Amino acid sequence: MDQRPSPHNSQRHQSGSQPERTLYCPLCHRSLKTNATGLSAEVVCEGCGFAFELPPAGSPAPTVPAEKSLSQPADPLDCWLAGAPIRPRQASDWERLREWSRQRPLAARLVAASALATLLVAVVSTVMLCGVSAVHRQTEHALTLVQQQYTRTQLKLQESERLVREHKRETHRATEACQRTLAKLQETEGSLNDLRQRYDALAQGQEQIQAEARLALVRKMVAESARRLAVQPAESLLLAERAITYLGRQGESVDVKLQQTLRDAAALTGDDVLRGHSGPVEAIAVSSNGRWLLTGSVDTTVRLWDLHNHPLDQSLLLEGHESPIRFAVISPDSCWAITSDDGGHVAVWDLRSSDPAVSVRKLQAHQGRIHALAVSSDSRWLAVGGTGSFEEEDNSVRLWDLKELSRTEQGSPVRAAEQPVVLRGHLGPVLAVAVTPDCRWVVTGSDDETVRLFDLTSHCPAASQVVLREHSGPVTSIAVSPDGRWMVTGSRDQTVRLWDLTTPQPGSRVTVLNGHEGSVHSVAISSTGRWVATAAHDHTVRLWDMNAVDPAASCVVLSEQPRDVGPLLFSPDGRQLIAGGEDGTACVWEVETGASSSAPVLLRGHCGPVGALAITPDGRKVLTGCRQASDRTDCLVRLWDLPIGEVLEKARPVVAQRLNASEQETILLETARRTDEGDQSEAKVQ
């Protein structure tokens, strides 16, 4: 809107001597008083603010038409066009407020903000008042409920107190009744304890009587078993088996004599033998893997038994010898079976072949008898010691390289390239041969009273030999400890000598083990290296403790028999010593404690001297062969179970096969009747 001078300013400018004029606003017809003159003077209506030019002097002033003033207002545009005055419309409060706000925006905003804040406060206050009122009502309601609940709880509490008082009275009465009952129970328990003690005493007495009766019956069964052993071995086996079974169930120790009776009866009734040879069996060997059993006989045949895959009544016949076979060994790797005969021949059989019978390599070792065979621990070297037909140059040891020998065609003679290394030096027959565990030394003992060590690490072993001359008689046997430290030699000078091979000069330190009164023919060292066993023609077996401060003073005599003892053999774990006897018996000692008072287990069954011994790698079976058998019935190999439990297990089916249930019952009842008669006789005597 244009800024125009206000009527007051116009009036001030026109004040003076000009006369006032009365005008009417063309728009609202309001009467106006003005002194303005001039052509361009403007007049502003104080009522509607309408500005218009002042009419010239002398012209008629705008007036309010009579008809318009009396009638209803017409359209303002029509009135304007007609020159009639226009009556302004009365503005509403809202329009005046808006016009005021437009003209004064800051004040309007402050007023609006104040009004809005007032309204918001009023609304929030109203809402909060309503909420507080609702909470107040809920609180009053909850308080009413709590008071009601409190009243009910008080009533229940009073009722509970009454019930508790009644319960206490009843509990007190029940406690008194229980105390009275407990007192009666204690009296009854005392009576029951007295009765129980009397009953236990009677039961113990009865059990003791029954146990004594059973033990008496067992003793009678043991005596009857020993009495019937020679005539009725099956009945003896039955009685011994039942007695040992009962003692085992009761946790009682089994007498050594009873075990011996069981073994003897099992040997007489069982069939745990290997047949096939027609002559005495003088050589037995078992492979380290437990599969192969090699036997050699005076009948010039060799038999190979597969202990894993074939029945024991089947064997493979190995032919190739023409003289009685005296020695048999199997290499530690279980690849080679080696046998020798009295004609100086050695046969090497390949156990890896599909048919070992056709895989033989024949070696001419000596012109005379062979006395010893040995294979090195690495299964490479085969050492053969023997003698010639009174030819001095044949008192030697022949050494074959089995690796080179394996390249020779089967069944063909050995080529010159595979000829043995000849170890000469002895002036008499070589009676004993051994190879140290480290495969360095070949040790030989001879009839010339010397022990020689040939160095296998040398280019020429025969030229690198150590001669030990301590013995004053032929050296008949040699053994080396598993750790290679000790070498034991037995001689016909009745002494055993212990050589230390770890000294800078092997054999320079020697310990003499005296005690035998006959020529020593067999020596052995346990796998633990602790025990040395020796056998001589004085009918004794002696045990020496290598852990003792003075092994020579630790001698223990294990056997003093009227007849000689044959070969010696330790079990793989070193806990047992087996010796073959000239009386057809093999003896087994438990040597872990070294006690000489322990009676040996006797393996009786052969008719002639036990000249061949072997034991399975697990130490559970002993194999024996008889030399100089009196008849062909003893031209066999016997298998013996060392654990008494296995003997017992094998005895039961034998008893069932030999005696039916009725016969077994009759024998047991007869034994019990004899026991009762014996007890009655003793009672009468007393």
Side-chain angles (χ1 to χ4, degrees), residues 230-261:
V231 181
Q232 298 168 319
E235 297 179 3
S236 174
L237 185 64
L238 168 66
L239 295 172
E241 182 268 328
R242 292 299 175 88
I244 293 178
T245 301
Y246 173 77
L247 292 176
R249 290 175 180 173
Q250 298 299 318
E252 300 287 341
S253 60
V254 181
D255 184 65
V256 177
K257 294 182 179 180
L258 178 56
Q259 294 187 33
Q260 190 62 56
T261 302

Side-chain angles (χ1 to χ4, degrees), residues 160-234:
S160 298
E161 291 177 352
R162 184 183 63 79
L163 293 176
V164 168
R165 289 192 296 272
E166 293 180 358
H167 180 69
K168 285 183 178 180
R169 290 193 295 269
E170 293 177 356
T171 302
H172 181 69
R173 290 193 294 269
T175 301
E176 293 178 351
C178 288
Q179 290 176 351
R180 292 192 296 270
T181 304
L182 182 61
K184 293 180 180 179
L185 287 177
Q186 289 176 350
E187 294 177 0
T188 305
E189 185 177 1
S191 302
L192 288 177
N193 289 334
D194 293 339
L195 293 176
R196 188 179 295 108
Q197 291 176 359
R198 295 177 184 178
Y199 175 79
D200 291 341
L202 293 175
Q204 290 177 359
Q206 184 178 4
E207 290 179 358
Q208 185 175 0
I209 293 173
Q210 292 178 355
E212 292 177 355
R214 293 191 189 99
L215 289 176
L217 178 59
V218 168
R219 288 192 293 268
K220 188 63 178 178
M221 291 170 64
V222 172
E224 280 293 309
S225 176
R227 187 180 68 84
R228 300 187 186 192
L229 179 62
V231 181
Q232 298 168 319

Side-chain angles (χ1 to χ4, degrees), residues 559-577:
S559 174
E560 293 182 356
Q561 299 183 4
R563 302 185 67 178
D564 275 345
V565 179
L568 298 177
L569 178 68
F570 276 100
S571 62
D573 59 2
R575 299 175 64 90
Q576 296 168 314
L577 174 65

Side-chain angles (χ1 to χ4, degrees), residues 537-553:
H537 288 298
D538 59 357
H539 308 165
T540 65
V541 175
R542 294 176 183 267
L543 193 66
W544 316 79
D545 190 354
M546 302 296 293
N547 290 346
V549 177
D550 183 8

Side-chain angles (χ1 to χ4, degrees), residues 103-174:
Q103 293 178 359
R104 298 173 180 84
L106 181 59
R109 289 173 186 174
L110 289 176
V111 172
S114 300
L116 182 60
T118 303
L119 178 62
L120 182 60
V121 169
V123 171
V124 171
S125 300
T126 303
V127 172
M128 291 180 64
L129 181 61
C130 294
V132 170
S133 300
V135 170
H136 179 70
R137 288 193 298 271
Q138 292 177 359
T139 303
E140 289 181 349
H141 179 67
L143 181 60
T144 302
L145 294 177
V146 168
Q147 290 176 350
Q148 295 176 356
Q149 184 67 26
Y150 175 75
T151 303
R152 289 193 295 268
T153 302
Q154 289 291 335
L155 295 176
K156 290 181 179 180
L157 182 59
Q158 293 174 1
E159 182 67 18
S160 298
E161 291 177 352
R162 184 183 63 79
L163 293 176
V164 168
R165 289 192 296 272
E166 293 180 358
H167 180 69
K168 285 183 178 180
R169 290 193 295 269
E170 293 177 356
T171 302
H172 181 69
R173 290 193 294 269

Side-chain angles (χ1 to χ4, degrees), residues 582-603:
E582 294 290 328
D583 58 354
T585 300
C587 301
V588 182
W589 288 275
E590 294 288 341
V591 299
E592 183 63 25
T593 58
S596 59
S597 59
S598 59
V601 174
L602 303 179
L603 308 178

Side-chain angles (χ1 to χ4, degrees), residues 272-275 293 305-307 310-315 639:
D272 212 356
V273 297
L274 303 178
R275 294 183 173 87
L293 169 64
W305 316 77
D306 190 343
L307 301 180
H310 295 286
L312 295 181
D313 57 354
Q314 297 181 9
S315 63
L639 284 76

Side-chain angles (χ1 to χ4, degrees), residues 429-451:
V430 178
L431 304 179
V433 176
V435 182
T436 57
D438 59 0
C439 301
R440 178 182 180 184
W441 302 103
V442 174
V443 186
T444 60
S446 172
D447 193 63
D448 64 1
E449 302 178 358
T450 65
V451 176

